[in-house]
Amino acid sequence: MTALTDAIAPASWRDRAAPRLLLDAGLVLGGSLLVALSAQLALRLPFTPVPVTGQPLAVLLVAAALGSRRGALAMALYLAEGAAGLPVFAGGGCCVPWLLGPTAGYLWSYPLVAYVVGALAERGWDRHPLTAIAAMLLGTGLIYLVALPWLAGFVGAADVLRTGLYPFVVGDLLKVVLAALLLPSAWALAGRGGRAAR
């Protein structure tokens, strides 16, 4: 099974233990930082505690590029960075209250989403637009599956779809399509477009 970053990494780094460990660590750190940067693209809406951010797109792309284990580790590191006080959450937010507040369900979903989308990518789902869309839709659905029940505890079951789903559906569908177009293109540039994972 192969993720995009494995396909483009030099063989001398992939095949030897010490360089491979260094490569993996760098990819995990880089993935966490990409999600942190995407969280700074935040737009607050007056009727919901949930901001519009670039995080879902970044999570999906990092997951597909790094694969299941490294993707999940990158998301776990991202959460740890925020818990430790680094301003990595939406709009520069940080600390434990963010991991317990109304939007915590979105954040807590990221390691699960990264693992699932990364596993699908390792099986070749990110190499073709239709299967990439399916993987990205599944990942986006998992975000909502974890986030909405948590958010309902703050806004009530009657308002959870109005505040946590409906305002974001169109934007998230656009992010799914963008990710599904970028990934096969990246594989084509890597010279491995359409080839099944090993």
Side-chain angles (χ1 to χ4, degrees):
M1 293 186 283
T2 305
L4 178 61
T5 50
D6 293 314
I8 60 177
S12 60
W13 283 72
R14 291 192 315 260
D15 300 335
R16 291 167 41 212
R20 178 63 192 222
L21 183 61
L22 186 60
L23 175 66
D24 288 345
L27 290 171
V28 167
L29 177 61
S32 75
L33 295 178
L34 181 63
V35 174
L37 286 174
S38 73
Q40 307 319 306
L41 304 171
L43 174 65
R44 297 275 177 196
L45 302 176
F47 53 87
T48 176
V50 183
V52 177
T53 71
Q55 284 169 293
L57 176 61
V59 170
L60 296 172
L61 290 174
V62 166
L66 299 189
S68 58
R69 289 179 300 239
R70 288 179 305 205
L73 284 172
M75 296 308 106
L77 178 59
Y78 170 67
L79 297 180
E81 290 163 353
L86 297 177
V88 296
F89 298 143
C94 75
C95 308
V96 172
W98 276 78
L99 296 172
L100 300 175
T103 60
Y106 295 89
L107 297 171
W108 287 113
S109 74
Y110 293 163
L112 170 65
V113 170
Y115 187 85
V116 171
V117 171
L120 294 174
E122 290 168 350
R123 287 160 178 78
W125 285 45
D126 62 337
R127 289 144 175 93
H128 305 283
L130 289 179
T131 52
I133 285 175
M136 301 303 127
L137 282 173
L138 179 59
T140 301
L142 286 173
I143 292 173
Y144 287 122
L145 187 65
V146 175
L148 293 179
W150 182 274
L151 179 63
F154 292 85
V155 301
D159 287 331
V160 71
L161 296 180
R162 181 184 62 82
T163 59
L165 176 66
Y166 298 151
F168 308 101
V169 169
V170 172
D172 284 344
L173 288 176
L174 290 174
K175 292 170 191 173
V176 162
V177 170
L178 180 58
L181 293 174
L182 287 173
L183 291 164
S185 299
W187 274 99
L189 287 174
R192 296 171 62 98
R195 189 179 293 181
R198 295 184 199 178

